[in-house]
Amino acid sequence: MKMKKLLSVAALLLALSGTALAQPKSFGLRVGPGLEISYQHSVTHKQFVEVDAGVLGVSEYPGFRISAAYDFNILNFRLLRGQFNMFLGPGLSVGMYDKSLFTAGIMVQYGVSYDFPNAPLSLAVDTCPSLWINSEGVSMRFKSLIPMLSLRWKF
C-alpha cells in the first residue's frame, strides 16, 4: 500500500513539473533607477509571476532588493504582428537600503510590454509603487514610481 502511495505522489510531482516546464518563461534585465535581473514565468495565458533582484537607488539610498509580483494581463492585442500587453498585480519586496536599513514592503506593479513577432524578445516599461516598513517606520518609496525598462529573452 505504501508503494502505491509513493508511486501516486511521484506521478503527481512529475505531472506538475512537466506542466511547469511547458509554460512560457522569460529572463532579462530591468534598468532605470538601478539595475535588476528579472525572471517571468507564465501561470496561464493571462497571469504570470515575476521575480526581480538587483541594486537600486545608487545616489540617495543605495541598496538592493528582491521582489516578486503576481501580475494579470488586463489588456492584450496584436500590434504590428507582435503582442501588446498591459499588466497589473500585487507583490512583495525585501531589501537593504543605506547600507544597514533592512526593509520589507508591499507593492503594486503595473506596466506595458510588447512581444516581438520574429524574435524571442519582450520589451516592457513598468513601475512598482511600494509601501516600505523598516525600523524607522512606514514610508513610501518615491523612486519606485520611476518607470523601469525591461528587455527579456523568451523561452
Side-chain angles (χ1 to χ4, degrees), residues 16 33 49 74 97 138 147:
L16 288 174
V49 174
I74 56 177
Y97 288 89
V138 177

Side-chain angles (χ1 to χ4, degrees), residues 52-91:
D52 304 313
V55 293
L56 294 175
V58 293
S59 59
E60 185 182 356
Y61 298 105
F64 70 92
R65 82 168 182 181
I66 298 170
S67 61
Y70 192 91
D71 292 315
F72 300 88
N73 283 326
I74 56 177
L75 176 67
N76 49 352
F77 57 88
R78 294 297 228 186
L79 180 66
L80 302 173
R81 291 189 287 165
Q83 183 71 33
F84 176 85
N85 303 299
M86 183 180 291
F87 55 90
L88 171 72

Side-chain angles (χ1 to χ4, degrees), residues 29-49:
L29 293 175
R30 293 178 74 219
V31 294
L35 177 65
E36 294 181 342
I37 295 172
S38 181
Y39 173 77
Q40 287 182 342
H41 186 95
S42 294
V43 178
T44 68
H45 71 284
K46 291 198 176 243
Q47 301 170 10
F48 62 93
V49 174

Side-chain angles (χ1 to χ4, degrees), residues 30-34 36 56-57 60 65 88 97 106-111 125-132 139-149:
R30 293 178 74 219
V31 294
E36 294 181 342
L56 294 175
E60 185 182 356
R65 82 168 182 181
L88 171 72
Y97 288 89
I106 56 174
M107 64 184 196
V108 175
Q109 181 176 29
Y110 59 92
V125 177
D126 62 60
T127 186
C128 302
S130 305
L131 185 63
W132 291 97
S139 65
M140 176 73 177
R141 299 297 301 181
F142 291 106
K143 286 195 175 203
S144 306
L145 295 172
I146 299 171
M148 293 187 78
L149 178 66

